[in-house]
Amino acid sequence: MLKVRREQIETFRTQRQARFVQRMMDYLRVTFPAQTKNLTDDHLRATVQHGERKAQDYDIVYEDDIRRFLGYVVVYGLTL
């Protein structure tokens, strides 16, 4: 029987989260170039991470819905 240690699960979770954030950053850069052109990668990454947490506060959990929410965040703003 295959056993996955807690450390391995955490590593998978961390990698999955990093890929998600990168996908959202790429999407925002392509879809909203005017709104993101002056943002550094670090600032955009922080915006995505904060926006994702805020989306979860509203029970928005599906990737497509979070992507849409993040679009609103870069267009209309979100208090960090």
Side-chain angles (χ1 to χ4, degrees):
M1 181 173 174
L2 179 67
K3 290 192 177 192
V4 180
R5 295 189 317 263
R6 186 175 309 269
E7 297 84 16
Q8 292 170 311
I9 292 171
E10 183 59 29
T11 299
F12 291 143
R13 189 195 67 73
T14 301
Q15 290 174 350
R16 184 190 49 168
Q17 179 65 19
R19 286 192 309 269
F20 169 80
V21 169
Q22 188 60 53
R23 278 194 313 276
M24 294 301 107
M25 289 174 61
D26 294 344
Y27 164 78
L28 293 172
R29 290 257 189 234
V30 169
T31 308
F32 302 99
Q35 291 86 349
T36 60
K37 70 180 176 183
N38 294 326
L39 299 179
T40 65
D41 281 347
D42 288 337
H43 187 248
L44 186 57
R45 183 175 296 107
T47 300
V48 167
Q49 291 168 337
H50 181 72
E52 180 188 12
R53 286 190 303 273
K54 193 66 170 175
Q56 290 174 353
D57 289 346
Y58 294 115
D59 292 326
I60 301 170
V61 295
Y62 295 110
E63 184 169 328
D64 289 342
D65 297 332
I66 294 171
R67 182 183 306 115
R68 188 175 306 111
F69 182 83
L70 290 172
Y72 293 130
V73 167
V74 298
V75 171
Y76 300 110
L78 180 68
T79 304
L80 294 174

